Structure formats: structure tokens, C-alpha cells
Amino acid sequence: MKITSTSCICPVLVCLCFVQRCYGTARHSSIKVTRNETKHIEGETEVHHRPKRGWVWNQFFVLEEHMGPDPQYVGKLHSNSDKGDGSVKYILTGEGAGTIFIIDDTTGDIHSTKSLDREQKTHYVLHAQAIDRRTNKPLEPESEFIIKVQDINDNAPKFTDGPYIVTVPEMSDMGTSVLQVTATDADDPTYGNSARVVYSILQGQPYFSVDPKTGVIRTALHNMDREAREHYSVVIQAKDMAGQVGGLSGSTTVNITLTDVNDNPPRFPQKHYQLYVPESAQVGSAVGKIKANDADTGSNADMTYSIINGDGVGIFSISTDKETREGILSLKKPLNYEKKKSYTLNIEGANTHLDFRFSHLGPFKDATMLKIIVGDVDEPPLFSMPSYIMEVYENARIGTVVGTVLAQDPDSANSLVRYFIEYNAEDDRFFNIDANTGIIKTTKVLDREETPWYNITVAASENDNPGLLSHVTVGIRVLDVNDNPPELAREYDIVVCENSKPGQVIHTISATDKDDFANGPRFNFFLDERLSINPNFTLKDNEDNTASILTRRRRFSRTIQDVYYLPIMISDGGIPSLSSSSTLTIRVCACERDGRVRTCHAEAFLSSAGLSTGALIAILLCVVILLAIVVLFITLRRSKKEPLIISEEDVRENVVTYDDEGGGEEDTEAFDITALRNPSAAEELKYRRDIRPEVNFTPRHQTLSTLESIDVQEFIKQRLAEADLDPSVPPYDSLQTYAYEGQRSEAGSISSLDSATTQSDQDYHYLGDWGPEFKKLAELYGEIESERTT
């Protein structure tokens, strides 16, 4: 098979086609490819037979953008099996087969029926096959070939990022790089010059230039001044075909702005200025403005103003407004037209951000002279002092002079001045002022403890012009006099423990005084000497404005007396000294061992003995347990009662001992001794000795008269005989012991029983006559006597 192509760019395979396409010959050249055969070299035998491909494929080329009326011829397919008789049929398949590319199935000619665009698709892959027209069997294996779309210059260069906005500092050196622009061409860069771009500048000369190959834009002049021209519009062109005639081009705009640098110093428009300021201008207020111009912008135009010299340096000050870049002139001290009518100031404005590259253009500061004219105005009266402090004693009589204020007219007219106090409608008027002299007096009696300080405002006006007012503050301090006696600092709750000891501190008290410090402390505490000595408590002055309450005896009882009262006296350190009396209430309470108060109310005996609630509960539990044991024991004894004598052989001698201490002859409840002293009465009642008899005892005063003449020895003998013969006693020996104390002595019974109710008629007042050694004993027995009396 042979392949014939009409492309004149195929170097070897389609060289004959080049003659046809370029010179218009009608004959198609082709390269004949026959079947692969193994040739025989003379003298050698055939060693191998291998069939080779019967056709050779190659690339076809077709020009893009074909606009002719006829289909564009692409090439020709030919098989070695084709004898020209039409028996071979050519079939074309693949991309665009039948739609874009068609083939003459008899001749094998391929044509393009549509205009192609290489920028959309660069090549097409197709398959060709030769078959027998009669049998439809392939004569050759299917082969693949490519049809490439040949590029033509049909796309102009484009700037995809334009238009551009860029900045460059003013005063830059010539050749400073500004921006690099890049244009793209959609044509084939590997074929011809269709995509070879060259840059040129169409607008922006002579200020800028562009590199034709790289597209870098640079400054073309020295010292481009922003203040002269700030914005530039530069048009850059990109042309393909290496810039040759006939090439396509595209352009873009580059907007270049020169940025500011500090290359211009500030300048005052005038060298001399004049400013009018009235003498009534307030201190601290702005009285004028001044401004220097700077051609730069932003921070390069920032400046500060200062007063460098002049006779008004101490009177005026200048500051800089950062927003408007103006100098604000302010008043530091009051003006007085009568003293000085004008001032001169030299003011300087200087840049704050300097660029030393342009220091040769300096200096970056400027100065001007300002003359200030002071204007005369009718001023209000002027007080001699900016404020006044006066003093007056409290309780002073109405009309007492407190002090004097003075104001004068500062103008040359020197008008008379009138004074008055400015009061609010709800204020109490404690003072008034003489309208002509300015003397301030009291109108009410002052109390320092109620109001220690008064602030009043005094106004002054001229008689000729009452509308012009000046004001001054007058502070009046009320001085203290000793007119308040001291008193206890608070209500005290004083407690004394029942187990307190003599001399024990039970509380500390303090005092307060409404008067000033000089008339208050130091406080003195003492007992009223007009009253008798308190036997229970005393007072000790601690000499530090406090006093201690001490006990004078031991042990207090709530059951006897639960509240005591102690009158005390307190005096202050004022001149003259004042004193007051107070009464302290002292409660008697039960306390723990560490002094903590347990209760201050009357309690049962066990509680007063110092038993806590827990201890009482424990005692009750023990009592309940003991009772339960006794009940259980009695129950067991009743259920099983043993005989007194276990057996006849168990006859023992026993000694029954009754160890009862007794309470003496005064004790009529612990043991009945009537039978011991009265044998005749004992004969009537005979009981068992091992069981306690239930006897109604005879009252003590009825039996004492019959016991004095009893023969005790005879009585004991009778009892012994009675015991031996009594059948009710146990059947073994027993020992019964009787004790007789004897007749009562003159000193009375020493038994502790019933002693709490014994009344003594002894008088202990004579102990007070025994001297200071027995003073404490006399006080103790005196308290007991007092309590009994109570």
C-alpha cells in the first residue's frame, strides 16, 4: 500500500506531493510500498520467510481556518493490492471520520469538509483499512495515522491581567523598574513566528520605557516630581510575528501613580501675622490659629509648632492639631490691658519625619512672627484671693464676725463694688455679708457636731454694671468647744461567771465623745465617791481610754441574785472637763471551766452543778439500766426462793453486821433510835431483826423529854435476853450491836444533816472592828448576812 499526501511540509514521504501542491501538477506522486520479501543473495539459500506489513502510515497535515468553497484535500491512501480495477475498497474510521474527513473508497483520496481551528483541537487520530469489495475481507491489517492541524497566525497577543494600577516613588532614579507586563498568544509557539511577541510603548513617553522582549516598564526620566504631576497613563502594545509587518497585536493600559516622599519643607504663607485677643479671654482657652503649608502629603506633611522666642513666651502656648496640621495658640496666664497692651511671638513649624536623601533640599522648617494685640474690656471685680478660709467657734452668738472678703474693679474707672452671698432656695442661711464692706457674720448658732464645715459662694459686682459678676469660694471651719460629755461607746452586755475569783477582769469598756479630739480623750473612768463601796465589783481605769470591770469577791449564785448594777462616772479631757454617769448591768451566768458562758437562766440542781446535757443523758441511761437489773434480779428471786438453811447439816455461826453510820441524835429519819432509848416503848413492838420494820416515827420534840432518864445498860441486857429467847430470829448465833452517843452537848450536833436549814443568830459585825487584816473576812461575812437578809 502507498500513502500519498498533499502537504508540502512532509520532508521525505510526501516529497512528490510538494511538487504537486506547490506547482499544480496533476499527477500524484506516491511512495510505493510492496509486500515485504526476503531477497536471495547469489550463492545463499533461503533461510527465512516472514510476511511484513503491506502498507506504511504517516502523518497528514491540513491547514486551519480553510475558507475555500471546495473541501480541502488532505492526502491519499493506496494499497499494493489495488490493481486499479476497483476491487479494493478503502475505509476510514476514527476522530472526525465521515463528518470532518471523508475518503473516496475507490481512489483513497481524503478531504476535509470543515474549517478547522488548531487552538480548539491540534490533531485527529484515524484508522485506515483496505478490504476486498466483493468479499468484504481485509486485504491489509488496519493501520493508524494522525492528521495534524497546521497553525496559521490567526490569534493576536492578549494581556490577561490588564489594565494595571501601579505606584512608584517620586524622585526615583532613571531606569527604576515599575512593572513587568506579559502578553500571551494562542498560536503554536513551535511553528513559525506566530506566537513570538514583541513589546512596545504607544503612550507614556518620554516618562517611561518598556523592554521589547521582557515587557518590563521602567522610568525614563530623572527626578519625576509628584507635586508637578502625580498620575500617568501608559499604553503598552504586544505584537506577534516578532513585530514584523502583518503581525497581530494587542495592547493594555498601565496607570502609574507617583507616591510622595518628604522633598518639600513647610512654608508659612506670610512672614508677619497679627492677632487680636481681648483681655477677658479665659486661661486655657484657644485664642487663635496659624498654619504652614507643605506640598507633601500624609506623614511627610506632619509638622509641629513651637514658640522659639518673644515677650509672650510665658503668657501663650502653642500646640499642633494633627488632623488639620494647624498651630493652636492658647492662653497660659490672664491678660491685663492696663498692664500690657501687646505681645510678640516668633513661631516655627518643622517637619517631624525627615528623609535624609533630600536633606540638600532643606532645611525642613520655617518661621514667622506673630504680634498679639490685647483688647480692653470692662472686667468684673477681682477678689484679692482666689479662695478664702475662715474660722468661727461653735455656739457663738448670732452676729459674730467670721471674716472679710475684698474685691476691686481692675479697670481704670475703679467703680464701687457690692457683695452678696449666693444661696440656693433650699439652703439654710447661717451667714450674711455686708454689701459694702464684705464682712461675713453668723445669723444662727452653729453646732460643730452637726455641721463642722460650711462652703458659701460670695459674688461681687460693680455698681455701674451689675451684670458683670465675679465669684469666690469661702470655706468656714466651725471650731469645737467642749459642750458634749463623754458616754459609753455602746450598750455593754456584761457577764460574771458563778465561779469567778476576786480581782478577775470580767469586761473592758470604752467611751466616746462627740467633741473634737482636743476636747474628748483622754477619758477618766471612776466610781461615784458619793456612793458606798460596792462589795461585789470595782472599776479600774486602764489609762488608755478604756476601763476594766473586776470582781471583789469569789463565787456568785444565780439562785440568790442573778443581776447586779454598777454605777460609774466618765470624764473627758476638755477645758473645762465634762463628765457623765452610767450604770452597767452585770448578769450572773453559769460558765465552763475555760470561761465560756453556758447559760444565764435558772436551772435544776444537776445543771447548776456543772453537768452538761450529754452528762445528764448518760446518768439517766445508767439509772434506767440499774433499775432494769434490779427488776430482773427481784423477778429471779421470786421465781426461785431458797430456804434460809439449806440442810440440817449446814448449821453455821454467822455474824450479821449492820454498818450504818447514822446521823447522831439529831438524825431522826436515817435510823429509829426510839427503841434504843425507850425500853418500855420497845416492848410493845417486836419485829424481825433481819427485815427493816415499817414504823411511824414519833416526832423529835415529843420523845426528847422521855429519853433523859433511861438506863441504857439495863436496856441492853434486856435486849440480849430477848434475842436469845425470841423464836422469830434466825436459828444461828447473831451479833447485835447498839451504840449510844449520849446526851447532846452545848455546842450542838456536828452532823451535816439538816444543817442547810439551821439558822444562826451569830452577829459578825464585830469583825469590821478588828482592823484591816480582817477586812476581807468582814466583807465576806457581811455579804452572807446581806444575802440572808435579802
Side-chain angles (χ1 to χ4, degrees):
M1 173 181 272
K2 61 182 179 180
I3 299 175
T4 303
S5 174
T6 60
S7 175
C8 58
I9 64 173
C10 183
V12 178
L13 298 179
V14 289
C15 58
L16 295 180
C17 177
F18 175 80
V19 177
Q20 174 196 0
R21 291 293 302 271
C22 297
Y23 296 95
T25 60
R27 181 180 177 180
H28 296 283
S29 300
S30 64
I31 297 177
K32 182 180 291 185
V33 181
T34 60
R35 293 181 181 272
N36 295 324
E37 297 179 355
T38 302
K39 295 184 180 181
H40 299 279
I41 301 175
E42 188 176 353
E44 294 183 359
T45 60
E46 182 178 1
V47 295
H48 178 67
H49 293 277
R50 185 181 66 181
K52 296 184 178 179
R53 174 173 291 179
W55 65 327
V56 176
W57 61 272
N58 206 337
Q59 293 182 350
F60 291 95
F61 295 88
V62 59
L63 291 175
E64 67 170 336
E65 306 294 346
H66 176 70
M67 304 301 293
D70 298 326
Q72 183 180 3
Y73 182 74
V74 178
K76 184 179 179 64
L77 298 179
H78 185 72
S79 175
N80 292 339
S81 301
D82 190 359
K83 305 300 183 180
D85 56 359
S87 61
V88 178
K89 181 179 181 181
Y90 297 96
I91 300 175
L92 185 65
T93 60
E95 296 179 337
T99 56
I100 299 176
F101 303 102
I102 59 175
I103 187 171
D104 189 325
D105 61 355
T106 302
T107 63
D109 293 331
I110 301 174
H111 291 80
S112 173
T113 61
K114 294 183 179 180
S115 177
L116 304 180
D117 188 355
R118 189 199 68 84
E119 286 71 37
Q120 293 183 359
K121 191 171 181 63
T122 59
H123 65 277
Y124 296 86
V125 179
L126 294 97
H127 299 84
Q129 191 173 29
I131 64 173
D132 190 316
R133 190 181 295 274
R134 293 186 297 273
T135 62
N136 287 331
K137 293 183 178 181
L139 300 176
E140 303 284 349
E142 186 181 75
S143 183
E144 181 181 271
F145 65 97
I146 297 175
I147 299 178
K148 285 192 173 182
V149 181
Q150 185 177 349
D151 183 48
I152 63 173
N153 190 18
D154 60 342
N155 290 279
K158 293 182 179 179
F159 293 92
T160 57
D161 297 331
Y164 301 88
I165 298 175
V166 68
T167 60
V168 63
E170 66 172 331
M171 309 301 288
S172 298
D173 296 334
M174 185 177 66
T176 300
S177 177
V178 178
L179 176 69
Q180 182 179 12
V181 294
T182 302
T184 58
D185 196 317
D187 292 327
D188 189 359
T190 63
Y191 176 72
N193 294 326
S194 298
R196 185 179 176 185
V197 178
V198 174
Y199 301 94
S200 61
I201 185 167
L202 301 181
Q203 178 182 319
Q205 294 176 331
Y207 307 104
F208 299 94
S209 63
V210 63
D211 188 294
K213 294 182 179 180
T214 62
V216 176
I217 303 173
R218 302 179 184 275
T219 58
L221 294 178
H222 286 286
N223 299 329
M224 298 177 66
D225 191 2
R226 184 199 66 85
E227 288 72 32
R229 182 177 178 183
E230 184 176 3
H231 301 286
Y232 295 86
S233 180
V234 179
V235 179
I236 302 297
Q237 182 189 64
K239 189 174 184 180
D240 60 12
M241 297 299 291
Q244 298 177 3
V245 177
L248 303 179
S249 64
S251 62
T252 187
T253 300
V254 181
N255 296 312
I256 302 174
T257 301
L258 298 182
T259 58
D260 184 59
V261 297
N262 191 11
D263 58 340
N264 294 278
R267 292 288 180 263
F268 285 102
Q270 301 173 214
K271 290 300 180 182
H272 298 278
Y273 291 90
Q274 184 170 306
L275 178 65
Y276 173 82
V277 179
E279 64 173 338
S280 59
Q282 297 295 320
V283 174
S285 62
V287 297
K289 298 180 181 180
I290 193 170
K291 184 177 182 180
N293 297 326
D294 194 322
D296 296 321
T297 60
S299 61
N300 295 317
D302 290 343
M303 66 184 74
T304 57
Y305 297 90
S306 60
I307 300 175
I308 54 178
N309 54 49
D311 57 357
V313 174
I315 306 299
F316 298 92
S317 64
I318 192 169
S319 60
T320 304
D321 188 331
K322 295 182 179 180
E323 297 295 331
T324 62
R325 297 188 176 94
E326 294 177 327
I328 308 299
L329 195 67
S330 302
L331 189 61
K332 291 174 60 177
K333 294 182 179 180
L335 300 176
N336 193 333
Y337 174 82
E338 287 73 24
K339 293 183 179 180
K340 190 171 180 63
K341 296 180 175 58
S342 65
Y343 297 90
T344 300
L345 300 175
N346 289 325
I347 299 176
E348 180 183 80
N351 282 140
T352 56
H353 305 286
L354 300 179
D355 193 337
F356 295 101
R357 296 177 300 170
F358 309 104
S359 59
H360 61 282
L361 302 176
F364 286 81
K365 59 184 178 181
D366 195 19
T368 187
M369 186 178 70
L370 174 63
K371 184 177 181 180
I372 299 175
I373 305 300
V374 180
D376 185 24
V377 296
D378 190 4
E379 300 175 271
L382 181 64
F383 283 95
S384 60
M385 298 175 63
S387 62
Y388 293 86
I389 301 296
M390 301 177 183
E391 296 177 344
V392 63
Y393 280 99
E394 65 174 330
N395 300 332
R397 293 180 300 175
I398 297 175
T400 300
V401 176
V402 180
T404 304
V405 297
L406 178 63
Q408 293 181 344
D409 182 10
D411 298 324
S412 56
N414 196 14
S415 301
L416 295 177
V417 177
R418 294 184 61 83
Y419 305 93
F420 60 93
I421 298 176
E422 290 188 344
Y423 283 109
N424 294 325
E426 64 276 5
D427 291 343
D428 291 334
R429 302 190 178 188
F430 290 91
F431 307 94
N432 62 9
I433 188 171
D434 189 288
N436 298 319
T437 62
I439 297 176
I440 300 175
K441 297 181 181 180
T442 61
T443 60
K444 294 182 179 180
V445 177
L446 306 179
D447 186 1
R448 190 202 68 85
E449 287 73 36
E450 182 178 350
T451 306
W453 187 278
Y454 292 89
N455 288 316
I456 61 175
T457 301
V458 176
S461 65
E462 298 178 5
N463 288 342
D464 299 337
N465 190 357
L468 290 177
L469 298 175
S470 58
H471 300 81
V472 70
T473 300
V474 179
I476 301 175
R477 181 187 297 112
V478 181
L479 302 178
D480 184 52
V481 297
N482 193 17
D483 58 345
N484 291 279
E487 57 187 14
L488 289 176
R490 58 184 175 86
E491 292 290 336
Y492 289 98
D493 183 16
I494 303 176
V495 172
V496 62
C497 294
E498 288 184 318
N499 56 356
S500 297
K501 298 179 181 179
Q504 180 177 344
V505 176
I506 62 173
H507 208 86
T508 300
I509 61 175
S510 61
T512 183
D513 197 321
K514 295 180 181 180
D515 291 324
D516 198 5
F517 184 82
N519 292 315
R522 161 188 185 298
F523 298 118
N524 295 316
F525 299 85
F526 54 93
L527 297 177
D528 193 350
E529 297 178 353
R530 296 171 297 180
L531 302 177
S532 60
I533 297 176
N534 191 307
N536 302 311
F537 304 97
T538 186
L539 182 68
K540 178 184 176 183
D541 192 338
N542 298 326
E543 298 184 355
D544 60 353
N545 297 323
T546 64
S548 299
I549 309 300
L550 294 84
T551 58
R552 301 189 68 172
R553 64 182 181 89
R554 70 176 62 248
R555 294 195 176 277
F556 293 84
S557 175
R558 288 173 295 154
T559 59
I560 298 176
Q561 184 173 349
D562 59 349
V563 176
Y564 292 88
Y565 298 98
L566 180 63
I568 63 171
M569 301 288 292
I570 310 173
S571 64
D572 59 22
I575 300 175
S577 177
L578 298 179
S579 63
S580 64
S581 62
S582 299
T583 300
L584 299 176
T585 301
I586 304 173
R587 296 185 298 144
V588 180
C589 297
C591 303
E592 303 288 351
R593 292 185 178 180
D594 57 359
R596 291 183 292 110
V597 175
R598 186 170 70 247
T599 180
C600 295
H601 302 285
E603 293 179 337
F605 172 75
L606 288 177
S607 177
S608 63
L611 295 178
S612 63
T613 304
L616 292 175
I617 295 174
I619 292 173
L620 291 176
L621 289 176
C622 292
V623 171
V624 171
I625 293 173
L626 290 175
L627 290 176
I629 293 173
V630 171
V631 171
L632 180 62
F633 179 76
I634 294 174
T635 303
L636 293 176
R637 287 291 301 270
R638 288 183 178 179
S639 62
K640 184 178 181 181
K641 212 170 188 181
E642 296 183 357
L644 188 59
I645 298 177
I646 300 176
S647 64
E648 296 181 357
E649 291 79 9
D650 189 11
V651 178
R652 295 169 294 180
E653 293 184 356
N654 293 281
V655 177
V656 179
T657 302
Y658 298 93
D659 188 8
D660 191 348
E661 180 178 352
E665 61 270 36
E666 298 297 331
D667 186 3
T668 61
E669 297 180 2
F671 188 79
D672 185 15
I673 63 173
T674 305
L676 180 62
R677 290 188 172 182
N678 191 358
S680 59
E683 292 296 332
E684 300 176 1
L685 297 173
K686 293 182 179 180
Y687 302 97
R688 289 183 57 178
R689 297 295 186 264
D690 58 343
I691 300 176
R692 181 177 180 180
E694 296 180 1
V695 181
N696 294 327
F697 296 106
T698 304
R700 174 173 173 266
H701 65 275
Q702 296 180 7
T703 59
L704 289 177
S705 60
T706 62
L707 295 178
E708 296 186 1
S709 60
I710 296 177
D711 188 353
V712 178
Q713 184 177 4
E714 183 65 26
F715 171 73
I716 293 175
K717 289 180 179 182
Q718 292 179 7
R719 284 300 182 188
L720 180 59
E722 178 183 328
D724 292 337
L725 300 176
D726 190 358
S728 63
V729 298
Y732 46 81
D733 293 339
S734 63
L735 176 62
Q736 297 185 14
T737 303
Y738 298 92
Y740 176 59
E741 183 178 348
Q743 295 183 359
R744 60 185 296 177
S745 63
E746 293 297 331
S749 174
I750 61 174
S751 172
S752 62
L753 298 176
D754 205 23
S755 60
T757 60
T758 303
Q759 301 294 332
S760 174
D761 56 356
Q762 181 68 39
D763 186 6
Y764 297 101
H765 289 91
Y766 62 86
L767 294 176
D769 302 332
W770 286 9
E773 293 82 358
F774 297 92
K775 181 179 181 181
K776 191 66 178 179
L777 186 62
E779 291 178 355
L780 180 61
Y781 279 90
E783 293 174 6
I784 296 175
E785 188 67 24
S786 175
E787 292 176 359
R788 289 175 178 173
T789 303
T790 303

